[in-house]
């Protein structure tokens, strides 16, 4: 099995998974967060170097206030544990998204986590929080305009590589494989620029049930894809 270098996941279906068991949606989020922890280890053991998960979108603020609060509290706990785990397993953690809208304590927790793990050489783990790809692109464009005005960069020098360096994913290679769990076949404002040539994989399995076997199956499908990047491959 040839592991993709970068796997991105839209972890979907926590709520439906819990409801199907007659349990509150928030229970699904708790199990979903536990699964993220487990999958960090599994991905790394399979040889994946970059793992990017979508935890909370810019649109998820539209959910009921108590669900948003519960998710934010889960993220608080999750990030607190993450700093300990990252030091143990040498994981480098980055948070993608517009952090300015998050509570102060969460922001400083993220700052500490990124600072403490930045030189770690194990799994590169990215969590997208208050992330929306359109928002990310707009923030990049605004910063580019600013840097052109202050003459830090020149319009003529702007190319795809330089543009990429203005995105939250600066320095991270584009995903090779995108997995979305729980049946929906859409991108929901995730990594629109970065997914330009990514292989897409959709499964009906809900995120809390997605484990090593399911990931191996996705990688097997990925291994059978022919990535041409617009070119022709002679047979
Ligand atoms: C994914 O599960 C987690 C978040 C978006 C925060 P959902 O909460 O979207 O679960 P479903 O799709 O409603 O079942
Ligand atoms: C996408 O899932 C966002 C995250 C996984 C954080 P949603 O459940 O919010 O997406 P839609 O609403 O089904 O498109
Ligand atoms: Mg959903």
């Amino acid at each position: 099995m040839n592991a993709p270098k970068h796997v991105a996941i839209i972890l979907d279906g926590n709520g439906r998974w819990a409801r199907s068991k007659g349990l509150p949606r928030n229970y699904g989020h708790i199990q979903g967060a536990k699964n993220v922890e487990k999958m960090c280890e599994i991905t790394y053991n399979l040889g994946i170097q970059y793992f990017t998960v979508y935890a909370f979108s810019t649109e998820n603020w539209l959910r009921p206030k108590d669900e948003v609060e519960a998710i934010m509290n889960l993220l608080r706990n999750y990030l607190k544990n993450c700093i300990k785990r990252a030091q143990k397993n040498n994981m480098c953690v980055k948070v993608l998204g517009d952090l300015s809208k998050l509570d102060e304590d969460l922001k400083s927790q993220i700052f500490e986590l990124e600072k403490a793990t930045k030189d770690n050489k194990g799994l590169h783990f990215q969590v997208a929080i208050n992330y929306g790809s359109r928002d990310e692109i707009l923030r990049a464009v605004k910063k580019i305009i600013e840097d052109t005005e202050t003459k830090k960069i020149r319009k003529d020098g702007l190319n795809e590589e330089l543009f990429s360096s203005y995105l939250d994913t600066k320095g991270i290679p584009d995903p090779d494989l995108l997995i979305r769990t729980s049946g929906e076949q859409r991108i929901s404002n995730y990594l629109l620029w970065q997914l330009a040539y990514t292989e897409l994989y959709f499964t009906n399995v809900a995120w809390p049930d997605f484990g090593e076997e399911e990931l191996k199956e996705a990688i097997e499908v990925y291994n059978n894809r022919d990535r041409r990047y617009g070119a022709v491959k002679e047979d």
Side-chain angles (χ1 to χ4, degrees):
M1 203 170 63
N2 195 359
K5 187 170 184 181
H6 183 175
V7 174
I9 297 207
I10 300 177
L11 49 92
D12 200 16
N14 290 348
R16 279 166 285 167
W17 178 86
R19 296 305 299 142
S20 74
K21 294 178 166 5
L23 295 162
R25 288 178 57 84
N26 289 341
Y27 179 74
H29 295 312
I30 294 171
Q31 293 307 313
K34 280 193 187 150
N35 199 35
V36 172
E37 255 176 49
K38 198 180 92 190
M39 291 308 286
C40 276
E41 247 174 68
I42 290 170
T43 47
Y44 193 57
N45 290 337
L46 288 177
I48 291 158
Q49 297 171 46
Y50 294 82
F51 184 48
T52 305
V53 301
Y54 205 2
F56 193 86
S57 75
T58 44
E59 289 74 28
N60 286 149
W61 298 106
L62 296 170
R63 295 187 179 201
K65 199 165 160 264
D66 67 325
E67 180 167 346
V68 171
E69 250 169 48
I71 294 174
M72 287 299 153
N73 282 331
L74 254 174
L75 283 169
R76 260 187 196 93
N77 284 330
Y78 181 81
L79 296 172
K80 209 187 312 159
N81 279 333
C82 199
I83 204 159
K84 281 186 232 142
R85 275 189 311 116
Q87 296 306 39
K88 240 197 316 204
N89 61 15
N90 207 18
M91 185 165 76
C92 169
V93 191
K94 280 193 185 132
V95 177
L96 316 177
D98 180 3
L99 305 186
S100 68
K101 302 224 168 52
L102 303 180
D103 288 350
E104 284 307 320
D105 68 308
L106 205 50
K107 266 192 279 195
S108 55
Q109 222 180 351
I110 290 169
F111 179 79
E112 289 305 320
L113 177 63
E114 290 186 337
K115 195 172 77 172
T117 66
K118 74 176 176 16
D119 296 323
N120 288 354
K121 299 281 184 276
L123 179 73
H124 291 263
F125 174 52
Q126 291 70 237
V127 197
I129 304 176
N130 189 31
Y131 176 87
S133 196
R134 288 182 171 181
D135 173 71
E136 176 192 35
I137 291 169
L138 273 183
R139 281 186 285 113
V141 169
K142 286 181 189 164
K143 186 78 177 54
I144 288 167
I145 293 173
E146 215 176 280
D147 284 355
T148 328
E149 283 167 357
T150 58
K151 307 251 181 310
K152 208 173 145 198
I153 60 165
R154 286 181 318 110
K155 180 181 150 201
D156 291 348
L158 186 59
N159 55 23
E160 291 184 7
E161 198 188 342
L162 185 60
F163 187 86
S164 295
S165 75
Y166 279 84
L167 297 174
D168 298 342
T169 48
K170 178 183 175 178
I172 297 162
D174 289 341
D176 300 291
L177 172 64
L178 171 82
I179 298 171
R180 183 169 186 146
T181 58
S182 212
E184 248 57 77
Q185 301 196 6
R186 55 177 170 254
I187 302 295
S188 302
N189 205 7
Y190 194 41
L191 304 172
L192 299 179
W193 170 278
Q194 297 87 340
L195 293 177
Y197 269 102
T198 302
E199 296 296 326
L200 310 180
Y201 178 86
F202 300 99
T203 169
N204 288 329
V205 176
W207 174 249
D209 286 335
F210 189 92
E212 183 164 2
E213 285 319 304
E214 289 73 17
L215 179 62
K216 282 184 176 161
E217 211 173 300
I219 294 175
E220 217 172 285
V221 170
Y222 167 82
N223 284 160
N224 288 319
R225 301 266 178 95
D226 187 11
R227 301 183 78 185
R228 287 187 292 275
Y229 300 97
V232 173
K233 265 195 196 155
E234 297 298 339
D235 42 29

